[in-house]
Amino acid sequence: MDIEATLPPATVDARAARRIYRHRLPVRLMHWINVVCLTVLLMSGLNIFNAHPALYWGRESTFAEPWISFGARNTPDGPVGYTRIAGYEFDTTGVLGLSTSPDSDAAMARAFPWWATIPGGQWLAMARHWHFFFAWIFVINGVLYLLYSIFSKHLKKDLVPTREELRNIGRSIVDHLKFKHPTGAAATRYNVLQSLTYLIVIFGLLPLVVIAGLAMSPRLDAVFTGWVDLLGGRQSARTLHFLAAFGLLLFVVVHVAEVFIAGVWNEMRSMITGWYAVPEDHAKKEAQP
């Protein structure tokens, strides 16, 4: 959601295409707003989840049969933390289910550790306030980004892959597996995997996480009745919200990893100043008459 890949001739630096203006100011601003919002939403969301660390499918909480749950219990060898998924249990002591407190070395029963949650280790009321506040900023920022992408033609030019790009998706997958990144002119635009990933995030994960989040509100369900059932019920909506959020987390992890692989200084500079240095090996060849 954050790269202005198609570059008109006026934005190319005169120094033999060594530097290009890759990210326009609106894209950079919205990118960093997303960084702050996603960080707060994920960490406050985990704090909220800790209040009831189990997920269900359907309209009601069938407490005896969650499809995933986290917890802790006492054993002859001491307390242990566990993660149970579809009836299969895993020992996750120290990270999930049971972890130490920030104030002491004493183990505490909580789904996610204190360092993964804000504000504080366990503060449900304030976590909800943080979550709702930043959720609306995130939604407004997302709508503005979508409008900008449509009217600036960024969506059509950069995000929608061509038929030729789709035919070469196999080559793109192999290049990524070999950690081979484009250079020269190819480095100034999206590859097909990037385009498809951003489309899935923008039109799949983001609407799902917002709609499923709204479906957990009894007030909205009372005003507009029946629509929550389209998601399978309130508990199914909570599960979908959780899964979509972790889908976004996976996207962020891969995105950050790609930044480090491609060159963290060059990528960060381009997202702060807008200017991106084209990799020299191909840029030199392109500069020759």
Side-chain angles (χ1 to χ4, degrees):
M1 268 177 37
D2 55 358
I3 296 179
E4 194 87 24
T6 297
L7 303 165
T11 65
V12 179
D13 194 283
R15 290 177 292 179
R18 280 293 310 279
R19 295 174 67 239
I20 59 173
Y21 191 63
R22 192 180 192 188
H23 303 285
R24 295 182 175 91
L25 180 60
V27 174
R28 302 200 308 273
L29 289 175
M30 288 183 281
H31 169 271
W32 292 114
I33 291 174
N34 276 341
V35 170
V36 174
C37 287
L38 273 176
T39 300
V40 175
L41 286 171
L42 286 169
M43 297 182 73
S44 62
L46 294 181
N47 202 330
I48 296 170
F49 180 82
N50 278 354
H52 185 73
L55 294 172
Y56 314 87
W57 292 108
R59 298 181 178 180
E60 301 176 355
S61 302
T62 52
F63 295 105
E65 300 178 354
W67 74 269
I68 184 172
S69 61
F70 306 86
R73 63 169 175 270
N74 291 318
T75 70
D77 298 324
V80 297
Y82 65 83
T83 299
R84 187 179 294 121
I85 304 176
Y88 295 94
E89 188 171 296
F90 308 91
D91 187 336
T92 51
T93 303
V95 181
L96 302 175
L98 186 73
S99 56
T100 58
S101 169
D103 302 322
S104 67
D105 293 332
M108 295 186 65
R110 57 161 63 92
F112 292 91
W114 66 269
W115 47 262
T117 63
I118 57 173
Q122 195 166 355
W123 194 358
L124 175 60
M126 189 58 68
R128 286 169 60 88
H129 285 303
W130 284 42
H131 199 73
F132 297 151
F133 177 78
F134 281 92
W136 283 115
I137 296 177
F138 186 62
V139 169
I140 293 171
N141 191 57
V143 171
L144 291 176
Y145 172 82
L146 186 60
L147 292 175
Y148 173 82
S149 297
I150 292 173
F151 288 105
S152 68
K153 305 297 178 65
H154 172 50
L155 180 65
K156 181 179 179 180
K157 293 186 298 184
D158 303 330
L159 293 177
V160 179
T162 64
R163 291 183 179 179
E164 181 179 357
E165 289 173 332
L166 290 173
R167 284 195 296 267
N168 293 326
I169 190 171
R171 173 62 63 85
S172 184
I173 293 174
V174 172
D175 287 343
H176 276 75
L177 291 175
K178 293 181 178 179
F179 298 102
K180 181 181 178 182
H181 288 77
T183 57
T188 67
R189 59 180 181 270
Y190 286 114
N191 62 59
V192 63
L193 290 183
Q194 286 177 302
S195 298
L196 293 176
T197 300
Y198 282 120
L199 289 175
I200 291 171
V201 170
I202 295 170
F203 296 106
L205 288 179
L206 291 177
L208 178 59
V209 77
V210 172
I211 293 172
L214 293 174
M216 288 186 285
S217 169
R219 179 178 297 181
L220 285 177
D221 188 26
V223 174
F224 306 101
T225 60
W227 69 276
V228 176
D229 291 335
L230 297 176
L231 298 177
R234 183 166 289 110
Q235 291 305 319
S236 291
R238 184 169 179 259
T239 291
L240 291 172
H241 186 72
F242 184 88
L243 293 176
F246 268 82
L248 291 174
L249 178 60
L250 177 62
F251 163 76
V252 170
V253 170
V254 174
H255 180 69
V256 172
E258 285 292 323
V259 167
F260 277 89
I261 294 171
V264 63
W265 167 244
N266 197 24
E267 297 290 339
M268 286 293 292
R269 179 180 55 194
S270 69
M271 189 49 69
I272 294 173
T273 68
W275 290 99
Y276 174 80
V278 179
E280 291 187 7
D281 52 346
H282 285 250
K284 291 180 179 179
K285 294 179 181 179
E286 292 169 357
Q288 296 175 357

